[in-house]
Amino acid sequence: MPLARATHLTRRGLLAAGGALGLGAALAACGDDQGKDSGTGAKGGKSGPWSFKDDRGTTVKLDKVPANIVAFTGVGAALYDYGIQVKGVFGPTRTTAGKPDVQAGDMDISKVTVLGNAWGQFSIEKYASLAPDVLITTMFDDAGTLWYVPEESKKKIAQLAPGVGISVYDRRLTQPLQRMWDLAESLGADMKAAKATDAKKRFEAAAARLRAAAKAKPGLKVMAGSASDQLFYVSGTNLSVDLEYFKALGVNFVEPPESAKKQGGGWYESLSWENVDKYRADIIMMDDRSSAIQPADITKATWKKLPAVKAGQVIPRSPEPILSYDKCVPLLTRLAEALEKAEKVG
């Protein structure tokens, strides 16, 4: 599902925490807990005052390194790769089959409290019970909107802990990757550890490989798509961190005109399945999120007739990348491999 298509839901019903504790009491209890404990940070190896300036320009200051971190699922997955374990998550975490969602990365989802698994779901009661020190998520606009924090309850959520936003709007992938690196380091992660430094080197090598593959086959056209039952969405490179970066490395993308992307907030053009062949593409990158229909499950005859589909030149795309170097290496590698192997079919 393209980002701008998320529909605000109002699924709220404040249940008593612990059977009797109302939200007001929960807020007060959480406030009392803050400042009492002079413990260490989330990794257990760093203590003392903590501050971090987020991409809204807001500086969060605490008297100790956050130990109780709640994050959007993808952010929690990125921090996990750097050795930071969050206490709670919100956003797509487990599939309907009970398995980890693609956005959960390598996290053991049985060890985190899931506050909500879908858009509009965020249990304030569970959040309060974690005595959160900080909430961390991404931002997909220039207004500082915290991703997956419900609009109707954001004020109550903000009362429990300060928020930190990392922007993934209208910039290249390397920028939020570095910001997540800096954030993890501030939280006590060992960024000199081989796991972190090796991942960064592998990312740089993968980027060089993708640049070379794009240069070798400049005529190949790549289309970024997402499928729903009624519509097919074609993303432009503008605004998306992954596509902007791939384009900067030389990848030749299908670019819907701005007028066509107007209804999609500038992100994408909506096409009926009858018109899915509007653009000729040699490679199609398809949205891998659980909110989108996956290529193997698309039954539309018009889809099956696309030259790239018939040639088997369809690969996954992660519109909400997990912002660790380790998880972004495959994004570069599979596109490079696709370019290296693909034939001109569009």
Side-chain angles (χ1 to χ4, degrees):
M1 177 185 296
L3 299 169
R5 286 200 287 127
T7 303
H8 288 271
L9 305 176
T10 54
R11 300 180 64 176
R12 203 61 66 225
L14 299 179
L15 304 175
L21 186 63
L23 178 61
L27 288 165
C30 184
D32 289 342
D33 286 342
Q34 293 177 354
K36 279 186 178 180
D37 182 7
S38 59
T40 60
K43 193 169 184 287
K46 187 174 181 179
S47 61
W50 179 84
S51 68
F52 186 82
K53 186 175 182 179
D54 76 358
D55 291 337
R56 298 170 296 177
T58 300
T59 300
V60 175
K61 296 182 179 180
L62 300 174
D63 59 4
K64 62 185 179 69
V65 177
N68 297 342
I69 300 170
V70 173
F72 174 70
T73 302
V75 171
L79 292 175
Y80 180 87
D81 284 350
Y82 293 129
I84 302 297
Q85 177 67 57
V86 302
K87 295 294 181 67
V89 294
F90 54 95
T93 306
R94 58 172 61 94
T95 66
T96 52
K99 296 180 180 180
D101 188 273
V102 65
Q103 295 192 63
D106 293 332
M107 278 194 304
D108 183 346
I109 62 174
S110 69
K111 294 183 178 180
V112 294
T113 299
V114 181
L115 308 181
N117 199 60
W119 185 266
Q121 296 177 359
F122 191 111
S123 172
I124 300 177
E125 299 69 38
K126 287 183 180 179
Y127 185 49
S129 73
L130 295 175
D133 294 320
V134 68
L135 178 150
I136 308 172
T137 186
T138 48
M139 300 183 298
F140 282 90
D141 60 29
D142 56 4
T145 304
L146 297 179
W147 188 235
Y148 262 78
V149 174
E151 182 68 22
E152 67 273 13
S153 54
K154 66 179 183 180
K155 290 183 180 179
K156 292 176 182 177
I157 292 168
Q159 284 181 278
L160 289 163
V164 168
I166 300 297
S167 181
V168 286
Y169 176 75
D170 196 17
R171 59 200 63 202
R172 296 175 185 173
L173 180 60
T174 46
Q175 187 172 346
L177 270 174
Q178 184 60 50
R179 293 290 286 146
M180 192 63 70
W181 176 285
D182 295 340
L183 176 61
E185 186 172 33
S186 79
L187 293 169
D190 180 5
M191 310 315 284
K192 294 181 180 179
K195 183 179 179 181
T197 57
D198 288 352
K200 197 169 187 179
K201 290 176 182 177
R202 286 188 290 108
F203 177 87
E204 291 165 353
R209 179 181 176 182
L210 179 54
R211 188 189 296 276
K215 185 177 181 180
K217 294 185 178 179
L220 291 183
K221 205 79 170 178
V222 180
M223 181 168 68
S226 182
S228 73
D229 185 55
Q230 299 297 322
L231 296 169
F232 184 83
Y233 304 88
V234 180
S235 294
T237 57
N238 188 33
L239 306 182
S240 297
V241 291
D242 62 329
L243 302 184
E244 284 201 11
Y245 184 53
F246 299 156
K247 183 180 179 180
L249 292 175
V251 178
N252 185 12
F253 281 97
V254 167
E255 294 282 6
E258 291 303 316
S259 57
K261 295 189 295 180
K262 201 168 185 180
Q263 285 189 324
W267 292 88
Y268 60 86
E269 177 182 3
S270 304
L271 298 176
S272 66
W273 282 102
E274 289 75 19
N275 295 315
V276 73
D277 62 351
K278 178 177 179 179
Y279 299 107
R280 308 300 286 179
D282 304 295
I283 298 170
I284 303 176
M285 302 176 69
M286 290 296 290
D287 188 341
D288 68 355
R289 291 173 296 178
S290 54
S291 56
I293 298 175
Q294 297 306 301
D297 299 319
I298 300 174
T299 59
K300 309 291 185 182
T302 50
W303 162 260
K304 294 180 179 181
K305 291 179 181 177
L306 292 177
V309 176
K310 292 170 70 175
Q313 295 176 179
V314 178
I315 63 172
R317 176 203 169 204
S318 300
E320 294 183 59
I322 294 173
L323 297 172
S324 72
Y325 286 102
D326 180 72
K327 293 299 179 292
C328 287
V329 169
L331 312 187
L332 298 168
T333 301
R334 65 192 178 204
L335 181 53
E337 288 178 345
L339 287 168
E340 290 164 356
K341 296 176 181 178
E343 300 294 336
K344 183 73 179 173
V345 295

